[in-house]
Amino acid sequence: MKYIDMHCDTLSRAYFDGNNDIYKLDKTSLDINRLKKVNSMAQFFAIYLVPDDEKEGISDEEYILSLLNIFNNTVKNHSDILSVAYSFNDIIKNEKQNKISAILTIEDGRCIDGKLENIKRYYDLGIRLISLTWNNKNCFGSPNSDDINIMKCGLTYFGKEAVQYMNDLGMIIDVSHLSDGGFYDVANLSKKPFVASHSNSRSITNHSRNLTDDMITIIANKGGVIGINFCPKFLDNRELNDENKESKIQYMIEHIEHIINVGGEDCVCIGTDFDGIHGNLEIDSVSKMPLLFEKMNAYGFKYDFIEKFAYKNAYRTIKDIIG
């Protein structure tokens, strides 16, 4: 089964491990070699902006350019199996050539620094999705939080401008990590579909990073998608001790079932968060992705829906947003 994964943090892992190419890596859940073997159709690669104290004294700009260099080196060195996708048509072209489409994203829009021209600059560098926030307030708005007052915060004035600008530019707006207030501002302002690239159901696992049923309904009605996150704490409520939580396919299926019961079959997809998550992962590598589709089949999901979940839903949303 070919598939599209809307989020991984492999570029950051490669950077901190001293790698300048992500074709074959020993310490990660994902690399290009393994993606090819499991028939990956497209992989979103996040430039995750780590906290300042983890960047070894370099600026955000230097860090971003370093990750872009790793990405571009990989594409150049392995152009026979990998190609950048800047548009939906690029994905079609790459698929015809039996190549994986690599799509660049930014996780934490703080680097935009409240300037629309910076959004355009990163767009010109190949970025096609921005996760507006990570776990701290920035120029777009506030993050998800256990603090009710922070969760109520909406987008900043700039954040509201940026939603409209990103719509016009053809850049995907990602609300994973965003506050509830920010989510509703995006929902009210966005003329195009938007996504939660790596978030699950809050009704199943009551974590602020997950989505309420109302949010699921809104994303579905907008034509967006929700990428199932493989992170244990967003999947599993069964263990009281955080250190013992597990990521199991069974838990993923519970979230998938709930999301389609609320929003329908067209709003759920894959957002693994590989190389940004830890714990006892039943699917701890892209090599094991076929297990998910096999288990879904065993649980009684129809093949047509498994195809939607694997790639068709994300495929449609990408087309509608970036064209």
Side-chain angles (χ1 to χ4, degrees):
M1 175 70 71
K2 57 187 176 181
Y3 73 95
I4 297 174
D5 176 11
M6 295 199 74
H7 189 85
C8 77
D9 290 308
T10 309
L11 289 175
S12 297
R13 283 288 305 277
Y15 170 80
F16 286 107
D17 288 344
N19 295 294
N20 203 34
D21 185 308
I22 59 170
Y23 175 72
K24 194 168 185 178
L25 302 172
D26 296 327
K27 301 177 182 178
T28 62
S29 294
L30 183 153
D31 59 28
I32 305 306
N33 180 49
R34 282 175 282 171
L35 284 175
K36 182 65 175 177
K37 290 178 179 178
V38 295
N39 201 27
S40 168
M41 179 180 181
Q43 179 66 53
F44 284 66
F45 289 95
I47 296 175
Y48 157 55
L49 271 70
V50 298
D52 285 336
D53 60 359
E54 297 180 20
K55 293 207 312 310
E56 302 169 343
I58 68 171
S59 67
D60 279 347
E61 183 68 9
E62 291 172 307
Y63 170 78
I64 289 169
L65 292 177
S66 294
L67 268 63
L68 280 171
N69 185 57
I70 295 170
F71 179 83
N72 290 330
N73 279 342
T74 305
V75 172
K76 180 181 177 180
N77 293 339
H78 310 287
S79 58
D80 56 326
I81 60 172
L82 182 73
S83 185
V84 184
Y86 301 106
S87 68
F88 177 73
N89 285 337
D90 286 341
I91 297 176
I92 295 174
K93 180 183 69 176
N94 293 339
E95 187 179 14
K96 288 179 179 178
Q97 295 176 354
N98 199 30
K99 293 183 181 182
I100 302 165
S101 288
I103 304 169
L104 273 172
T105 82
I106 286 176
E107 185 175 24
D108 189 350
R110 73 180 192 230
C111 58
I112 301 302
D113 196 29
K115 299 173 184 176
L116 295 179
E117 58 264 34
N118 282 339
I119 296 177
K120 179 61 164 61
R121 185 164 66 88
Y122 285 120
Y123 180 89
D124 290 342
L125 286 171
I127 303 298
R128 288 299 179 268
L129 175 152
I130 297 178
S131 301
L132 300 187
T133 61
W134 187 60
N135 289 346
N136 299 291
K137 186 175 181 179
N138 65 20
C139 59
F140 287 94
S142 297
N144 73 97
S145 175
D146 292 330
D147 185 324
I148 295 175
N149 292 321
I150 294 176
M151 280 292 262
K152 289 180 180 178
C153 292
L155 297 179
T156 62
Y157 179 81
F158 170 77
K160 293 176 181 178
E161 278 191 313
V163 166
Q164 298 174 61
Y165 185 72
M166 290 171 71
N167 277 175
D168 294 339
L169 195 58
M171 186 179 279
I172 300 170
I173 298 166
D174 180 15
V175 297
S176 285
H177 288 283
L178 191 60
S179 66
D180 289 359
F183 174 95
Y184 284 108
D185 279 343
V186 170
N188 289 330
L189 292 167
S190 183
K191 302 185 294 289
K192 288 186 175 181
F194 61 93
V195 309
S197 67
H198 54 304
S199 295
N200 299 333
S201 164
R202 203 179 295 179
S203 291
I204 301 297
T205 302
N206 187 23
H207 193 289
S208 61
R209 271 280 284 107
N210 288 338
L211 303 168
T212 66
D213 288 357
D214 186 51
M215 292 173 177
I216 292 169
T217 301
I218 289 170
I219 290 176
N221 289 342
K222 281 277 191 177
V225 285
I226 300 155
I228 293 295
N229 191 321
F230 292 9
C231 180
K233 63 183 177 181
F234 307 147
L235 283 174
D236 178 21
N237 268 342
R238 292 160 181 76
E239 295 288 344
L240 295 178
N241 184 343
D242 285 344
E243 294 180 359
N244 293 333
K245 287 196 173 183
E246 296 186 341
S247 171
K248 295 183 178 181
I249 296 174
Q250 172 192 336
Y251 304 160
M252 297 175 196
I253 286 174
E254 290 177 13
H255 283 267
I256 294 167
E257 286 182 326
H258 183 81
I259 290 170
I260 64 175
N261 285 338
V262 173
E265 291 190 352
D266 297 335
C267 73
V268 63
C269 65
I270 299 167
T272 63
D273 208 358
F274 275 145
D275 296 318
I277 57 176
H278 307 281
N280 186 9
L281 312 178
E282 185 171 0
I283 300 179
D284 59 2
S285 165
V286 293
S287 301
K288 297 181 181 178
M289 284 297 293
L291 291 176
L292 174 57
F293 307 129
E294 291 168 12
K295 284 278 185 77
M296 289 177 71
N297 181 65
Y299 270 81
F301 287 103
K302 294 180 180 178
Y303 184 81
D304 286 350
F305 170 70
I306 298 175
E307 276 193 316
K308 285 184 177 183
F309 170 73
Y311 72 94
K312 285 187 174 180
N313 289 342
Y315 197 69
R316 181 204 71 245
T317 298
I318 293 166
K319 179 181 180 181
D320 289 346
I321 301 173
I322 69 174

